[in-house]
Amino acid sequence: MKLIYQYMLGFLVVVVTCLSIIAFAIYHYSENMAYQQTWMQMEGYSDNLQAMALRVNPATGNIQNITPETFASVQDVLANEKVTFAMFDKRGHELYPSVTNEPSFDHRTWKLLNAGTVIRERNSNHNQQAPLFRKHPMTYIIKPWFDKDNNLVAILWVGAEVSAVETSINSIKNNVILAFLISTIIAVIMSWFLANWQVKRIDRLRRATKQVAAGDFNVQITQNGRDEIDDLASDFNEMTHSLQKSDEEIERQEQRRKDFMADAAHEMRTPLTTINGLLEGLAYNAIPEESRDKSITLMRNETKRLIRLVNENLDYEKIRTNQIPLHQRTFAIKSPLENIVSQLTKKAEAAQDQLQLIVDEKATVYADYDRFIQIIFNITQNAIQFTKNGTVIIKAIHDSDLATTTITITDNGIGMSKDQVKNIWDRYYKADPSRKSTKYGESGLGLAIVHQLMQQHQGKIKVHSELNVGTTFTLIFYDETIITKKKDS
Ligand SMILES: Nc1ncnc2c1ncn2[C@@H]1O[C@H](COP(=O)(O)OP(=O)(O)OP(=O)(O)O)[C@@H](O)[C@H]1O
Ligand SMILES: [Mg+2]
């Protein structure tokens, strides 16, 4: 069954039950009232008659009994009201309208009357004391009359045809039925509106649920916190909110994963090219005997670095939690810088560039070894890439007083305009997008990676560039003492 009908049925059962109880109570009350009123009216007649009939004879001081003639005239007057009288003497013998010589009341009634009880009967032909009452059921009272010494002197029966009372009861009944019907119709209409309102609220929730099922988490339902459906709506809103959050988190993680993959590929391309070049050299005996060991060491170092790179960068859990740890330590930089230079020498030669390294034997840096190589490698590679027939100088100075290691990579290549410089740290930015991809990459990722790594090292990176003059990148690494202090504060 549809919810709207269930709701309506529920409302109706309650409303109709209440209405029935109320109607029944009103009907009964009114019926009682009608009878009470009739009886009171009759008792009123009886009292008036008593006042007339039991008048004291001033001469004798006796109660003067009413004559049948008086009754007949009173009866005539009250005939219009459909009220009938009967009079009995103190022995219960009927005096009016007929005259009998036998007691008219049964034993029980007679006892009650003697005790002064006024008998009230509704709609009855019981106590058929006189032929008159035998015909129709009547509503009547039987009232005993007493004199001032409390002796039973007479009994008066006053009755009305049942139909007279029934008329008023029937009209009450009709009114109650009408009221019941009208109220039921109003209840049906009201319950329809109420049920419809509730069903609409549920429908709203249903539509929102469908939207969420279709992947749209940006749904919020207005609610006033009034009832359980509002509570449900509020829970629903909370649910979509957290779904949206986790959806965004999934997207962020997916993006991070893609970034890490791209970064790793970017960082692997150059060493793989270097190794490949060296292997080819070895295969074709193109490497002089004295350089063979050096080449093999270079390849071993690079393959180890690649393995570390793969282990660190492609660990899914680390990507998910965005935690690629740095293993920072202080090491001498001369040898790693020389390695970089020897790896890039081929590239520099191809571009007819001079590659120079100026570094103090004892110069050190506090950094993650692999990341440090990555940083210098990227910048130097760029310098060679954007310089033809020029010079690229890598200069490293450790300042013990300032506790810093400053590395500058200078070229006299094509340089960049101020506008271009502004964007170089953005992922996938290329100052000159028309450049075709070469074997060295050119995806626009290198400097973004460098920038992020420098931030992780809490170091500084600056660039000074002039179009057609050249570019200088300045990197400042802080010594362990300063970094520890920074971390502590
Ligand atoms: N030394 C430089 N001289 C002139 N332009 C430079 C220099 N270094 C970087 N750029 C400009 O900055 C851009 C971004 O450099 P980035 O290293 O991020 O990307 P890329 O070298 O184009 O590609 P790759 O991802 O392979 O490094 C370069 O495309 C280039 O236009
Ligand atoms: Mg680059």
Side-chain angles (χ1 to χ4, degrees):
M1 190 166 27
K2 280 208 148 208
L3 195 58
I4 187 161
Y5 301 131
Q6 288 181 32
Y7 269 128
M8 280 180 77
L9 200 67
F11 293 137
L12 277 179
V13 166
V14 174
V15 172
V16 170
T17 310
C18 290
L19 279 176
S20 307
I21 292 169
I22 293 169
F24 186 74
I26 291 176
Y27 175 71
H28 255 260
Y29 176 76
S30 313
E31 193 190 41
N32 273 340
M33 289 302 289
Y35 278 111
Q36 288 289 348
Q37 228 173 346
T38 312
W39 285 327
M40 270 165 68
Q41 203 180 6
M42 286 169 176
E43 276 182 53
Y45 292 145
S46 160
D47 290 345
N48 286 342
L49 268 174
Q50 189 175 4
M52 279 165 65
L54 301 185
R55 217 177 294 135
V56 177
N57 186 336
T60 58
N62 288 336
I63 290 171
Q64 189 184 295
N65 271 331
I66 200 163
T67 59
E69 291 77 37
T70 328
F71 266 116
S73 62
V74 172
Q75 179 66 76
D76 282 349
V77 173
L78 290 176
N80 282 345
E81 313 249 344
K82 293 186 179 166
V83 175
T84 315
F85 291 97
M87 181 81 188
F88 303 86
D89 65 13
K90 59 183 173 191
R91 288 163 300 158
H93 296 179
E94 186 172 337
L95 296 173
Y96 174 85
S98 44
V99 180
T100 57
N101 273 326
E102 289 155 37
S104 297
F105 300 101
D106 59 28
H107 181 65
R108 196 182 131 263
T109 315
W110 186 242
K111 244 178 122 177
L112 286 169
L113 288 171
N114 268 296
T117 314
V118 179
I119 293 166
R120 296 166 160 190
E121 282 292 340
R122 55 164 78 170
N123 205 7
S124 165
N125 52 9
H126 177 64
N127 271 341
Q128 297 160 350
Q129 296 86 354
L132 177 74
F133 324 126
R134 255 166 240 145
K135 288 180 208 148
H136 321 282
M138 295 190 94
T139 292
Y140 59 81
I141 62 156
I142 311 172
K143 187 169 182 180
W145 288 353
F146 295 93
D147 63 11
K148 62 180 191 314
D149 299 323
N150 227 5
N151 298 316
L152 181 68
V153 288
I155 294 153
L156 187 73
W157 181 99
V158 186
E161 295 248 350
V162 168
S163 62
V165 187
E166 249 175 13
T167 324
S168 66
I169 292 172
N170 275 345
S171 90
I172 293 168
K173 204 185 210 165
N174 290 341
N175 280 341
V176 168
I177 291 174
L178 189 70
F180 179 82
L181 284 178
I182 291 172
S183 316
T184 310
I185 291 168
I186 292 173
V188 170
I189 295 169
M190 294 273 289
S191 64
W192 187 85
F193 275 113
L194 208 62
N196 200 33
W197 176 64
Q198 296 287 35
V199 168
K200 265 192 184 152
R201 296 169 76 202
I202 291 173
D203 268 352
R204 212 166 41 146
L205 267 165
R206 239 183 82 197
R207 278 199 304 278
T209 314
K210 274 192 184 159
Q211 248 174 290
V212 171
D216 175 7
F217 301 126
N218 205 8
V219 217
Q220 290 285 299
I221 302 172
T222 44
Q223 50 90 15
N224 307 311
R226 277 186 308 223
D227 57 13
E228 281 81 354
I229 295 186
D230 277 337
D231 289 349
L232 182 63
S234 143
D235 292 346
F236 179 89
N237 286 346
E238 256 174 54
M239 183 191 75
T240 52
H241 190 65
S242 61
L243 275 177
Q244 190 167 18
K245 274 213 292 205
S246 48
D247 191 51
E248 282 166 5
E249 179 57 27
I250 288 170
E251 260 176 41
R252 266 199 301 276
Q253 280 183 21
E254 179 58 18
Q255 190 54 44
R256 273 209 295 268
R257 193 188 62 80
K258 281 187 193 155
D259 288 353
F260 275 109
M261 295 293 277
D263 290 359
H266 181 270
E267 296 316 302
M268 274 157 36
R269 211 175 282 136
T270 314
L272 282 175
T273 315
T274 308
I275 295 164
N276 188 46
L278 289 171
L279 282 173
E280 271 177 19
L282 287 173
Y284 294 109
N285 281 329
I287 295 174
E289 195 60 39
E290 65 272 18
S291 303
R292 279 180 158 239
D293 281 351
K294 207 179 152 202
S295 300
I296 290 168
T297 314
L298 189 63
M299 283 198 290
R300 281 178 62 191
N301 285 343
E302 280 308 287
T303 44
K304 275 183 198 157
R305 195 165 72 84
L306 276 177
I307 291 167
R308 284 199 296 270
L309 194 76
V310 169
N311 284 346
E312 299 254 295
N313 268 15
L314 299 183
D315 182 320
Y316 178 73
E317 198 48 36
K318 283 176 188 163
I319 294 171
R320 200 182 67 78
T321 51
N322 203 16
Q323 278 174 343
I324 305 286
L326 285 186
H327 307 291
Q328 271 172 285
R329 61 187 171 92
T330 307
F331 56 86
I333 48 177
K334 190 165 187 260
S335 132
L337 289 178
E338 276 172 356
N339 270 344
I340 294 170
V341 169
S342 61
Q343 272 194 69
L344 289 171
T345 305
K346 258 225 150 122
K347 198 184 173 189
E349 277 168 7
Q352 290 167 334
D353 288 332
Q354 294 270 324
L355 189 54
Q356 288 179 21
L357 174 67
I358 305 168
V359 58
D360 189 15
E361 192 77 40
K362 291 195 185 103
T364 57
V365 72
Y366 179 63
D368 179 304
Y369 184 83
D370 290 341
R371 305 297 176 191
F372 175 77
I373 291 179
Q374 231 175 300
I375 293 166
I376 310 297
F377 205 105
N378 265 299
I379 297 174
T380 315
Q381 188 171 274
N382 279 349
I384 297 168
Q385 215 167 299
F386 302 109
T387 308
K388 295 275 168 297
N389 292 315
T391 315
V392 174
I393 305 165
I394 306 172
K395 200 171 161 188
I397 300 166
H398 181 253
D399 187 326
S400 320
D401 297 337
L402 292 173
T404 55
T405 308
T406 307
I407 297 164
T408 53
I409 296 145
T410 310
D411 68 64
N412 52 0
I414 59 170
M416 286 175 281
S417 71
K418 280 208 169 68
D419 277 349
Q420 290 173 335
V421 169
K422 264 188 222 157
N423 301 309
I424 51 170
W425 311 123
D426 296 345
R427 277 180 88 81
Y428 303 111
Y429 174 79
K430 284 186 277 186
D432 180 7
S434 64
R435 276 189 299 119
K436 293 262 165 355
S437 174
T438 72
K439 62 177 174 176
Y440 293 109
E442 294 181 18
S443 54
L445 276 177
L447 287 182
I449 297 170
V450 164
H451 191 243
Q452 200 191 339
L453 289 176
M454 281 310 287
Q455 274 182 333
Q456 261 181 288
H457 278 86
Q458 301 185 50
K460 278 189 187 147
I461 180 161
K462 285 184 275 188
V463 57
H464 176 81
S465 188
E466 251 178 80
L467 214 53
N468 300 322
V469 175
T471 307
T472 300
F473 279 89
T474 309
L475 306 168
I476 301 173
F477 290 89
Y478 292 98
D479 280 6
E480 187 173 3
T481 45
I482 296 192
I483 298 290
T484 333
K485 251 191 226 160
K486 274 191 188 175
K487 273 183 192 153
D488 289 347
S489 63

